[in-house]
Amino acid sequence: MSAPNAGDTAWVLVCAGLVLFMTPGLAAFYGGMVRTRNVLAMLQQNMIALGVVSLTWVLVGYTIAFGDDAGSGLFGNLELFGLADLKVPPAPNLHVVDGRITIPTLAFVLFQMMFAVITPALVTGATAGRLRFGGWVLFLAVWSVVVYAPIAHWLWHPGGWLAKFGTQDWAGGLVVHASAGAAVLAVLLVVGRRRNWPHTAAPPNSIPLTIVGAGILWFGWFGFNGGDGLQANGLAAQAVLNTHLAAAAAMLVWLALERVTDGHSTVVGAVSGAVAGLATVTPTAGYVNAASAVAIGALAGLVCHFALKLKYLLRLDDALDVLAVHFVGGMLGTLLLGLFGNRGVNPLGADGLFLGGGGGLLWRQLVGVVSVVAFSFVLTWLIAAGVQALIGLRVPPADQERLDQAQQGADAYHLGGVTSLTAPGAPRRRAAAAPAGEPAVPPGQRVRVVTALLEPDPAANSADLRDALLAAGAISVIVSDAAVATTTPQASLLPRGYWQDQPLAARLRVTVLVGADGVAAVLDELDRMGARRSDTFVQEAERVQS
């Protein structure tokens, strides 16, 4: 047996780290697009997969996926339970690349573990706001063993029945994206829709967080696709290049379609298109040339963008469009390999229809798609229904809008319109404030309370707002968040072409305590800041004695 190759081993270990990094990237990508009160729950649903699936993979998932075939091509035997007796590197032809693969088995175990971790995490984007945490943990543990591991054996083990049939999947178009997409269909049937869907939209809480997550995913995808040859060579470089080109092409096509259909090319659309391109090129990355990767990415941007309507046609509340981006993308890429496959890029691949290979590879890819989707859908539904009956998978409807408090007793953000106001900065520590003097109005004297509503923008500087009102005669100033009913709902564009009519508009409520002789001056200042007299009230009050 040849000694392990240090360069190949290092490359595979680096790629394992990159794929691990994709899970927190996915958490951020999804976390930025859910409601403010559900952010922590979404982050935890993704991060918990690193704990749960890592252990199930070591105990039993790896041996089912990559242990010696049990004889049927459906799953491996249990001889490697708990990673017992690992002494040799993977079989030379393991995972389609080359006869000279020599990396330690544990490097391969680690690399494949990260794929097992992120695959079920994809489901959380579709079920946003509806998963009970304990039920989700149980679902993760069972699904990673019963569904993911056998599908990995089918396609990525030399003895797997789809591998012997000739179906190809470079890095997970079927094993990851199609299996997770089919799981989404099944889980959504069990957990159902959010309250008032589709009539109530869910605006994202932090688009910048989503963009950071998308950047991490794009970066990590270089390891996702680049490491699947298990060697640091020209084929790895080809796979990484194809990955990037497909994402770039899909991004541009998606943006162009947004411009035509919605009038705007948005940053969320840009990263949505990129992720669609990444998912679609995944099964083809090590089998096609650069020009084909560009074409595959462009088709991904086109098809996945129009697939956004799929959830409405199926009446499935897929909150963050996992079906359109990952499910459709994974299946599309798998089938496109039957057209663009090129043995000149990878001798262990096959020529597709466009390269003179006929329709044989396309047929084998179609069989793979149907088999994986059917298997994942049926077993996932059984698992999800069982978890729902046993401990519950769906949260109570009353908790859907407040998962962070219900499940963690905490909030992700502690900022409102008032604390977001700007004010002059202090380059050094401010001296302690002097004790307050006697109140301008003695206790028991009659005063006025002026209440007004302001647009946030004209009152953006808290120091100016305070100084102007105090100069006009205010005794104290209180600013709080408010929302007012509008006669004409304000239409706002949400990510991925969705619109929301908002009948309540954000305002700042300013409450000013002032003496009777200062009311006129305070009203003038509030008028200057944009307050409407119809939304302004003056009331008599008495200053209480402390």
Side-chain angles (χ1 to χ4, degrees), residues 89-178:
N93 59 342
L94 187 61
H95 205 132
V96 306
V97 184
D98 192 278
R100 298 187 300 274
I101 295 175
T102 51
I103 62 171
T105 303
L106 288 179
F108 181 75
V109 171
L110 181 65
F111 179 65
Q112 287 293 337
M113 176 193 293
M114 301 312 162
F115 285 77
V117 166
I118 197 171
T119 300
L122 294 172
V123 175
T124 62
T127 56
R130 283 159 287 171
L131 290 182
R132 189 187 297 269
F133 181 65
W136 173 241
V137 170
L138 179 59
F139 175 90
L140 276 176
V142 177
W143 193 91
S144 64
V145 172
V146 175
V147 179
Y148 179 83
I151 293 175
H153 185 83
W154 295 0
L155 286 148
W156 287 346
H157 190 284
W161 77 272
L162 282 176
K164 292 191 291 187
F165 179 68
T167 303
Q168 297 181 345
D169 185 7
W170 175 257
L174 290 175
V175 178
V176 176
H177 297 286

Side-chain angles (χ1 to χ4, degrees), residues 417-418 421 448-462 464-470 472 474-484 506-514 521-523 525-532 535-539:
V418 179
L421 295 179
R448 302 291 188 273
V449 175
V450 180
T451 304
L453 295 174
L454 302 180
E455 294 277 358
D457 290 342
N461 191 297
S462 62
D464 290 347
L465 175 64
R466 177 203 61 190
D467 293 345
L469 292 174
L470 290 178
I475 301 168
S476 68
V477 178
I478 299 173
V479 182
S480 57
D481 295 314
V484 299
R507 295 289 187 269
L508 294 177
R509 178 190 290 113
V510 181
T511 304
V512 181
L513 183 66
V514 61
V522 166
L523 289 175
E525 282 299 324
L526 291 173
D527 287 345
R528 185 180 64 82
M529 296 175 187
R532 296 186 305 176
D535 295 327
T536 304
F537 305 93
V538 179
Q539 299 170 287

Side-chain angles (χ1 to χ4, degrees), residues 182-435:
V184 164
L185 291 172
V187 173
L188 288 178
L189 292 179
V190 174
V191 301
R193 307 167 185 164
R194 290 166 293 176
R195 290 189 299 180
N196 300 321
W197 184 87
H199 304 294
T200 300
N205 76 89
S206 176
I207 290 178
L209 181 62
T210 293
I211 304 310
V212 170
I216 294 173
L217 287 174
W218 196 330
F219 174 64
W221 228 294
F222 287 174
F224 197 88
N225 288 350
D228 283 80
L230 306 180
Q231 290 182 301
N233 58 10
L235 187 57
Q238 181 73 69
V240 171
L241 177 63
N242 288 346
T243 299
H244 186 69
L245 291 176
M251 170 189 281
L252 296 180
V253 170
W254 192 294
L255 288 174
L257 290 171
E258 273 195 334
R259 179 69 176 177
V260 171
T261 57
D262 302 319
H264 299 278
S265 296
T266 67
V267 66
V268 173
V271 297
S272 299
V275 172
L278 292 166
T280 305
V281 79
T282 290
T284 74
Y287 295 120
V288 301
N289 60 29
S292 296
V294 172
I296 290 169
L299 289 169
L302 177 68
V303 175
C304 293
H305 181 271
F306 286 112
L308 293 173
K309 302 182 185 300
L310 185 64
K311 64 183 180 182
Y312 297 110
L313 295 175
L314 298 177
R315 301 294 296 169
L316 292 172
D317 182 8
D318 174 8
L320 305 182
D321 299 304
V322 179
L323 293 175
V325 174
H326 294 280
F327 188 39
V328 171
M331 293 190 297
L332 175 65
T334 299
L335 297 176
L336 289 177
L337 180 57
L339 304 179
F340 292 101
N342 188 340
R343 290 195 65 192
V345 172
N346 186 344
L348 295 180
D351 286 332
L353 184 63
F354 293 166
L355 276 294
L361 178 59
L362 181 60
W363 163 248
R364 295 190 291 273
Q365 298 301 100
L366 179 60
V367 171
V369 168
V370 173
S371 302
V372 168
V373 169
F375 178 81
S376 179
F377 175 79
V378 172
L379 285 190
T380 301
W381 185 87
L382 292 173
I383 295 168
V387 172
Q388 173 67 14
L390 185 63
I391 63 174
L393 185 61
R394 176 186 171 92
V395 299
D399 291 341
Q400 289 183 9
E401 305 298 332
R402 51 180 295 275
L403 283 185
D404 290 353
Q405 279 292 333
Q407 296 183 357
Q408 301 194 28
D411 294 311
Y413 306 112
H414 302 278
L415 294 175
V418 179
T419 54
S420 298
L421 295 179
T422 62
R428 59 183 181 272
R429 186 178 296 275
R430 189 188 302 273

